[in-house]
Amino acid sequence: MPANRKAYRAALLHSLADPAEAGIEASYEYFEDGLLVVEDGRISAIGHASELLPSLAADVEVSHYRDALITPGFIDTHIHLPQTGMVGAYGEQLLDWLNTYTFPCESQFADPAHAAEVADIFIKELLRNGTTTALVFASVHPQSVEAFFEAAQKLDLRMIAGKVMMDRNAPDYLTDSAESSYTQSRALIERWHGKGRLHYAVTPRFAPTSTPEQLTLAGQLLGEYPDLYMQTHISENLQEIEWVRELFPERKGYLDVYDHYRLLGERSVFAHGVHLCDDECARLAETGSAVAFCPTSNFFLGSGLFNLPMAEKHRLNVGIGTDVGAGTSFSILHTLNEAYKVMQLQGARLSPFKSLYLATLGGARALRLEERIGDLRPGSDADFLVLDYHATPLLSYRLRQARDIAEKLFVLMTLGDDRTVLQTYAAGRLVHQR
Ligand code: GUN
Ligand code: ZN
């Protein structure tokens, strides 16, 4: 079979390392007039157009974008499928927000037709915003995971998801039991984990809504299958932290609850971590766990400011998360704009190259997928974006004043959103065209 080869000519930018470790200049690679060659769903070459074009076979189709930037697809390390219909729920902080808005909204996923309809909307929204991989909370209903994976599989997306485990402190209509959560998760793992580009995440919602029995079984599941993910929430809100102390008085703190039940590890992602202390960051880093930084959510629920410099000090893996529906946008560009302000409010800086890293290679490292996604190196999955420098009149005008790629990138992150994403490719296939 002849290889299915295509080439894309544009400005190309991708991260090579964390700027906090490598320094900014060594953290990225940029080709002003670059060529990306894709073969059978993988990247086969990247370089200057002038160097690669002469050796390209004559029959390879070249798409040429004159005012656009190609980057890796964005990676959203924390988002909730069943909260798509409740973005912008007014007035409450975390615990009241869950009871007033979230639980009733998630209950609709008992209906498989509803789950299928929202899964379709949700995936389209991810792709419109340039997100090619996400770590996704489904609802407590196994059919919500089925609906999501079925929709993701049709487009051959690299996605990670899991059924929420929640057997206390939530309405009866939305709780499972320790045993049913184990059996249902297991069945989903058997059916989906490792199928194509799909992966399963064991998903206890957060410590307050799981009994010790359920947390024990979650830890057991992680030991029973290789390469499973674990996702949950941690230290997002002060009232929540106090509640965990009351529910688990025998543990040293919030993270220690998860540690005790063997939920830390290289494929464990903890959302928020706004109020983590130094020791907890050190323990997360030591176990190879990651944190999802969710700025729009932390602002919207009034949760607080994530301390990225502290995470960097501990060399803790951090990805960026939209956390829709507490987060207010599916757009990773918009989320990075808010992340910048989180740093500003703490007297710190967020360079555009660190933002790029968080949204791509850093997210891939948090998910231990850096051999597959997160950059444009030969061998990586061809998950990439074409970002349009003329997406809006203001962006177009503002970018004309920009002197270099650092400034262009920062402006894209400040003014950009879904309109900026002209095309999204997954495994070499066009999955969104604006
Ligand atoms: N903590 C437990 N559940 C949730 C949720 O759905 N969203 C957020 N932001 N925090 C949580
Ligand atoms: Zn969340």
Side-chain angles (χ1 to χ4, degrees):
M1 268 242 300
N4 176 11
R5 209 181 300 159
K6 284 187 90 171
Y8 303 85
R9 181 174 180 182
L12 307 178
L13 176 68
H14 65 151
S15 287
L16 303 173
D18 183 349
E21 291 175 11
I24 284 178
E25 287 315 310
S27 80
Y28 69 94
E29 186 173 43
Y30 174 62
F31 302 94
E32 181 93 34
D33 180 13
L35 195 76
L36 188 72
V37 187
V38 172
E39 195 169 320
D40 294 331
R42 299 259 177 95
I43 291 164
S44 62
I46 179 174
H48 296 288
S50 60
E51 288 171 17
L52 290 180
L53 279 172
S55 58
L56 200 66
D59 61 343
V60 177
E61 185 191 325
V62 181
S63 302
H64 191 177
Y65 307 88
R66 277 178 179 76
D67 280 306
L69 179 68
I70 289 180
T71 68
F74 296 142
I75 299 171
D76 187 339
T77 58
H78 184 68
I79 187 164
H80 296 257
L81 160 70
Q83 296 174 16
T84 306
M86 56 163 291
V87 178
Y90 178 77
E92 307 296 347
Q93 294 213 351
L94 177 64
L95 301 178
D96 293 325
W97 174 85
L98 283 171
N99 286 314
T100 312
Y101 298 113
T102 316
F103 293 152
C105 186
E106 292 196 1
S107 74
Q108 300 174 73
F109 281 70
D111 172 10
H114 178 81
E117 183 193 349
V118 181
D120 189 48
I121 295 170
F122 178 83
I123 284 182
K124 285 201 177 92
E125 204 56 35
L126 290 176
L127 299 174
R128 288 183 59 250
N129 284 283
T131 298
T132 47
T133 292
L135 175 56
V136 179
F137 267 65
S139 72
V140 74
H141 317 92
Q143 51 269 39
S144 65
V145 180
E146 294 284 347
F148 175 71
F149 277 151
E150 266 168 29
Q153 189 182 34
K154 282 191 194 135
L155 296 173
D156 192 16
L157 304 177
R158 192 174 287 286
M159 289 286 170
I160 315 170
K163 173 206 119 66
V164 163
M165 304 169 80
M166 175 158 70
D167 67 344
R168 66 167 168 174
N169 291 322
D172 287 345
Y173 63 74
L174 207 59
T175 44
D176 51 19
S177 66
E179 201 199 355
S180 72
S181 71
Y182 174 83
T183 330
Q184 291 173 346
S185 300
R186 237 189 115 108
L188 289 165
I189 293 163
E190 293 280 350
R191 187 159 148 74
W192 292 106
H193 185 53
K195 198 172 192 176
R197 298 208 293 160
L198 305 175
H199 314 257
Y200 192 83
V202 174
T203 307
R205 177 168 218 122
F206 67 155
T209 48
S210 287
T211 58
E213 294 69 40
Q214 186 168 61
L215 294 174
T216 304
L217 289 173
Q220 191 178 317
L221 273 174
L222 291 175
E224 286 172 355
Y225 293 88
D227 299 339
L228 272 183
Y229 288 87
M230 196 294 300
Q231 58 179 342
T232 190
H233 297 91
I234 192 164
S235 296
E236 175 180 5
N237 168 287
L238 295 174
Q239 266 186 313
E240 169 210 15
I241 296 170
E242 195 44 45
W243 194 20
V244 172
R245 251 193 269 282
E246 288 163 20
L247 291 168
F248 298 90
E250 71 285 8
R251 305 267 58 96
K252 278 188 300 193
Y254 201 159
L255 184 69
D256 190 46
V257 175
Y258 296 135
D259 207 350
H260 177 78
Y261 293 103
R262 302 176 186 280
L263 299 178
L264 277 59
E266 292 199 342
R267 285 180 172 71
S268 296
V269 179
F270 294 87
H272 308 297
V274 167
H275 306 284
L276 288 169
C277 66
D278 234 9
D279 286 354
E280 288 176 320
C281 278
R283 179 64 185 150
L284 283 166
E286 180 187 24
T287 55
S289 307
V291 171
F293 170 22
C294 306
T296 75
S297 167
N298 298 158
F299 277 136
F300 186 72
L301 292 183
S303 304
L305 304 174
F306 179 68
N307 190 340
L308 183 61
M310 178 161 85
E312 284 179 340
K313 187 182 82 184
H314 291 283
R315 306 186 72 175
L316 173 55
N317 278 329
V318 176
I320 196 92
T322 61
D323 193 30
V324 160
T328 48
S329 173
F330 275 80
S331 168
I332 291 288
L333 289 173
H334 177 73
T335 305
L336 294 169
N337 181 21
E338 298 303 294
Y340 177 80
K341 298 169 193 170
V342 170
M343 293 305 108
Q344 281 281 41
L345 285 167
Q346 298 176 97
R349 289 244 179 111
L350 186 63
S351 87
F353 294 105
K354 177 72 186 201
S355 289
L356 174 72
Y357 175 79
L358 287 172
T360 57
L361 184 58
R365 286 183 176 167
L367 301 175
R368 307 287 162 180
L369 286 171
E370 68 271 27
E371 297 304 319
R372 298 265 55 90
I373 57 170
D375 60 26
L376 302 174
R377 281 181 311 165
S380 290
D381 294 353
D383 291 359
F384 62 94
L385 312 176
V386 181
L387 304 179
D388 177 9
Y389 285 156
H390 299 306
T392 68
L394 178 61
L395 183 70
S396 178
Y397 176 66
R398 175 64 183 88
L399 283 176
R400 263 195 276 149
Q401 329 298 319
R403 285 155 312 199
D404 54 20
I405 184 60
E407 191 176 345
K408 279 185 189 167
L409 185 59
F410 187 61
V411 168
L412 279 170
M413 287 162 175
T414 307
L415 296 179
D417 53 31
D418 54 335
R419 295 168 295 181
T420 316
V421 181
L422 180 66
Q423 293 180 326
T424 302
Y425 288 84
R429 184 163 146 199
L430 181 66
V431 288
H432 166 68
Q433 165 79 52
R434 191 187 65 206

